[in-house]
Amino acid sequence: EAQVVESGGGLVQAGASLRLSCATSGVTFDDYAIVWFRQAPGKEREGVVCISTNGGTTYFEDSVKGRFTISRDNAENTVYLQMNSLKPEDTAVYYCAVRYNCRSTIILGSWGQGTQVTVSS
């Protein structure tokens, strides 16, 4: 079963940067897409960005285009989310998940504990 562990969140001021990590196990990492989601207080969890097996990127949230970059290190079974120019509206718990591809709606395995990102104004 796919398992993920998110890390790298924190409390930062607006305009700062953070890099989140998603360590994956239980699957052949190279064969799957990885999606970053986020859930803000009082809101539903939403997809942010996905990276495919060949490194292609699909953004689900227009507000992060040009600021967030997703990448993967297949040797380390890890996906990263580089977040620049952070805004208070980026405050959320960030989760990652394994999918067959970036068009799929199926999450493989279970959700991780997430990592909290808080951006102060």
Side-chain angles (χ1 to χ4, degrees):
E1 178 180 286
Q3 294 184 326
V4 296
V5 177
E6 304 93 343
S7 62
L11 171 62
V12 298
Q13 291 188 330
S17 298
L18 282 173
R19 189 177 79 155
L20 306 184
S21 298
C22 171
T24 305
S25 61
V27 293
T28 303
F29 182 76
D30 301 18
D31 291 345
Y32 295 93
I34 305 294
V35 184
W36 279 102
F37 293 82
R38 66 185 180 185
Q39 186 167 19
K43 295 187 177 181
E44 293 188 354
R45 186 154 33 198
E46 62 179 7
V48 177
V49 61
C50 176
I51 188 164
S52 67
T53 55
N54 64 4
T57 300
T58 301
Y59 286 94
F60 302 119
E61 176 56 52
D62 287 344
S63 68
V64 307
K65 289 181 180 179
R67 299 188 299 121
F68 290 12
T69 302
I70 190 171
S71 61
R72 65 190 297 156
D73 184 338
N74 288 346
E76 297 293 330
N77 291 357
T78 300
V79 166
Y80 301 100
L81 183 64
Q82 179 67 43
M83 305 187 298
N84 299 330
S85 302
L86 282 162
K87 303 176 180 179
E89 50 264 44
D90 294 318
T91 294
V93 179
Y94 284 72
Y95 301 88
C96 61
V98 179
R99 280 183 169 171
Y100 290 115
N101 55 64
C102 288
R103 295 182 304 276
S104 173
T105 59
I106 298 172
I107 300 298
L108 303 179
S110 56
W111 292 101
Q113 81 288 351
T115 187
Q116 176 71 49
V117 172
T118 303
V119 185
S120 63
S121 57

